[in-house]
Amino acid sequence: MTTPTLVSKSSPRPRSRRSGADGDYARLLRRISDAGLMDRRPGYYAIRLSLVGIAFVVGWVAFVLVGDSWWTLTVAAFMAVVFAQVALVMHDVAHRQVFRLRRPTEIMGRIVGNAGIGLGYGWWQDKHTRHHANPNHEELDPDVVPDILVWSQRQARASRGLPRLIGRAQAFLFFPLLMLEGLNLHVAGVRALRSRAVKHRVVEGALLFGHFAVYLGMLFAILPADKAFAFFVVHQALFGLYMGCIFAPNHKGMPTFTGDDRPDYLRRQVLTSRNVRGGALTDIALGGLNYQIEHHLFPSMPTPNLRHAQVIVRDYCAEIGVPYHETGLVSSYREALRHLHDVGVPLRAGGRQAG
């Protein structure tokens, strides 16, 4: 597949006439709908939710049975994978792939997210909705707002403090920093309880703190302090690392937008997204998000339909001349890391000049 060339990180980005551009997406949507790919898949989700739920219960039963032993760290690693799979279920629920109606969607999202893994559903849904509306837009996408890392040379030049310090070597620090992402997700959910953008904050807060109390209570009730602390570190570090490895290939290193530079919906989603090639194991490990282009074009499409939609979307993009980028998993990380290294150039150059 070709790398995007219509939109580069440094050259002016062409614009399409709005009426024609909107028609492009409408024609694609008709082809997808005619193929039945927007239809619900209740059987698939019944099986998937059951398997993830069983794995969740099995993990905690194993934790109790293994008890005071360093083998409990293998349970911590297993539960890191399970927590990430639960998060992927929450993702699909939030996109209404499972339920059509808002109320059961929100109830399930809070049970799975807040109570199940300590991830604030309301905070995450608000953040993720804004990301989908404007992927890789430096002012509008919360996923590329500079926090610890910087995502463009423009952000690098404007950075101060920790992002400026880390930005010089952020490509080398990326995977180690992902080990903190699990804790960051928990903290962000708690901090968001102060925001009015989060609905039902009392319920969300009660479920979050209830999860933390039960989780920590179990660790220190069953394990001595040293093993409990070790379990916590391994579990949360691997959970964060796995979550980062799921989401990093999706947009990192793809073209970004700023200001009013905002193409039509189809191009906005396709040009900023990257697909990851692979088979059934990749689909399971990445929760179907390896079909990121199709997911962004049709967020409510059930996950198992994405691989079938890919053929239609890829051919259609070739038909209308829109670059469609797809690569292997290792190559996707290589592209993301190369981008992180490149955007740190102003910081490294500034450091040499200062020296």
Side-chain angles (χ1 to χ4, degrees), residues 201-223:
R201 286 180 288 173
V202 173
V203 174
E204 291 246 352
L207 292 174
L208 272 180
F209 286 107
H211 166 85
F212 299 145
V214 172
Y215 174 79
L216 294 174
M218 283 181 60
L219 295 194
F220 287 94
I222 294 175
L223 300 177

Side-chain angles (χ1 to χ4, degrees), residues 4-14 138 152-154 157 253-258 261 339 343:
T5 54
L6 283 181
V7 181
S8 68
K9 301 178 185 67
S10 57
S11 60
R13 299 169 176 85
E138 292 184 28
S152 71
Q153 291 193 359
R154 175 174 170 267
R157 294 187 186 96
M254 297 302 290
T256 59
F257 302 115
T258 58
D261 195 0
H339 171 73
V343 301

Side-chain angles (χ1 to χ4, degrees), residues 2 13 28 50 64 109 172 184 205 228 293 295 299 301 317 332 340:
T2 57
R13 299 169 176 85
L28 175 59
S50 297
V64 173
F172 300 99
N184 179 56
I293 293 172
H295 170 62
M301 178 183 288
C317 286
S332 72
L340 286 171

Side-chain angles (χ1 to χ4, degrees), residues 26-279:
R27 285 190 293 273
L28 175 59
L29 179 58
R30 277 197 298 273
R31 294 185 189 184
I32 292 293
S33 298
D34 290 345
L37 296 175
M38 297 304 295
D39 295 347
R40 300 284 166 171
R41 297 288 298 272
Y44 165 83
Y45 279 109
I47 294 172
R48 182 177 171 189
L49 267 65
S50 297
L51 290 176
V52 172
I54 290 170
F56 187 85
V57 172
V58 166
W60 286 123
V61 169
F63 169 77
V64 173
L65 293 178
V66 172
D68 185 4
S69 166
W70 287 111
W71 285 105
T72 194
L73 298 186
T74 63
V75 180
F78 174 77
M79 289 307 294
V81 174
V82 172
F83 266 45
Q85 288 295 322
V86 172
L88 288 170
V89 167
M90 189 191 78
H91 170 271
D92 288 7
V93 168
H95 278 297
R96 298 199 183 183
Q97 296 175 21
V98 183
F99 305 107
R100 291 183 182 275
L101 300 179
R102 178 179 59 83
R103 184 170 177 78
T105 293
E106 291 183 348
I107 291 173
M108 177 62 77
R110 292 189 181 102
I111 291 173
V112 169
N114 295 53
I117 60 174
L119 200 161
Y121 172 80
W123 159 76
W124 181 86
Q125 185 191 42
D126 174 69
K127 173 178 175 287
H128 197 62
T129 299
R130 288 184 285 129
H131 158 70
H132 265 266
N134 294 283
N136 271 18
H137 192 292
E138 292 184 28
E139 289 91 40
L140 301 175
D141 181 358
D143 287 355
V144 292
V145 170
D147 185 5
I148 293 179
L149 303 178
V150 291
W151 305 107
S152 71
Q153 291 193 359
R154 175 174 170 267
Q155 291 180 350
R157 294 187 186 96
S159 65
R160 297 290 182 272
L162 190 59
R164 189 171 187 85
L165 178 64
I166 290 178
R168 297 174 183 175
Q170 61 183 13
F172 300 99
L173 297 173
F174 180 68
F175 284 109
L177 286 172
L178 286 181
M179 294 185 187
L180 300 174
E181 181 61 16
L183 290 177
N184 179 56
L185 291 171
H186 298 315
V187 171
V190 171
R191 291 175 61 186
L193 295 173
R194 297 176 296 180
S195 171
R196 293 184 179 180
V198 177
K199 301 176 182 178
H200 308 292
R201 286 180 288 173
V202 173
V203 174
E204 291 246 352
L207 292 174
L208 272 180
F209 286 107
H211 166 85
F212 299 145
V214 172
Y215 174 79
L216 294 174
M218 283 181 60
L219 295 194
F220 287 94
I222 294 175
L223 300 177
D226 58 343
K227 292 186 179 70
F229 182 73
F231 184 101
F232 176 84
V233 170
V234 170
H235 179 215
Q236 295 301 325
L238 294 182
F239 169 54
L241 179 62
Y242 185 17
M243 287 290 286
C245 287
I246 290 172
F247 287 94
N250 300 343
H251 303 280
K252 307 313 179 192
M254 297 302 290
T256 59
F257 302 115
T258 58
D260 294 330
D261 195 0
R262 193 168 176 265
D264 65 278
Y265 180 79
L266 184 146
R267 288 162 179 81
R268 188 160 74 243
Q269 305 301 338
V270 175
L271 294 172
T272 60
S273 301
R274 176 194 293 109
N275 273 19
V276 176
R277 287 191 294 267

